[in-house]
Amino acid sequence: QVQLVESGGGLVQPGGSLRLSCAASGFTFSRSTMMWYRQAPGKERALVATITTIGNTNYADSVKGRFTISRDNAKNTVYLQMNSLKPEDTAVYVCKAAYLISSYWGQGTQVTVSS
């Protein structure tokens, strides 16, 4: 059974940091491209960051220089380190795995940036 379980969300003040985790099971994590998406209220889901099987990364312009995606294949976990958070980063953050022709989604974790 495939599972992607996100954690690490919460309420943080502007300028603060959070680290999200996504623990994967039920598929070959090390051979999967992993992604973080986010969906803010009233907006479409948007791609935030991607990390390939060999560690290449890509980011949305809105988070470049502030967010870092990483992976630990030994722990089947992908991370999103978020620094210098802004109110506009408030959203549900969801991880996605792309493996061969399949893709899998987690349930998401809420991140709220507010003073």
Side-chain angles (χ1 to χ4, degrees):
Q1 181 182 358
V2 172
Q3 280 194 312
L4 291 170
V5 180
E6 300 96 336
S7 61
L11 174 64
V12 63
Q13 293 187 342
S17 298
L18 283 175
R19 188 172 89 149
L20 306 183
S21 300
C22 174
S25 61
F27 62 98
T28 307
F29 178 83
S30 62
R31 296 183 182 178
S32 301
T33 294
M34 299 300 298
M35 293 149 276
W36 284 99
Y37 283 74
R38 67 185 181 186
Q39 187 165 17
K43 295 188 177 181
E44 293 187 356
R45 185 173 287 183
L47 179 61
V48 174
T50 302
I51 185 164
T52 69
T53 57
I54 59 171
N56 292 333
T57 59
N58 196 33
Y59 299 92
D61 287 343
S62 59
V63 307
K64 279 181 183 176
R66 300 189 298 123
F67 290 12
T68 302
I69 188 170
S70 61
R71 65 191 298 159
D72 185 338
N73 288 340
K75 296 182 178 180
N76 285 0
T77 300
V78 62
Y79 304 97
L80 187 67
Q81 177 67 45
M82 305 186 296
N83 299 327
S84 302
L85 282 161
K86 306 175 181 180
E88 52 264 42
D89 294 318
T90 295
V92 175
Y93 285 73
V94 185
C95 71
K96 176 184 175 182
Y99 175 57
L100 300 178
I101 62 170
S102 300
S103 61
Y104 311 109
W105 293 88
Q107 293 298 309
T109 185
Q110 176 70 47
V111 171
T112 302
V113 185
S114 175
S115 55

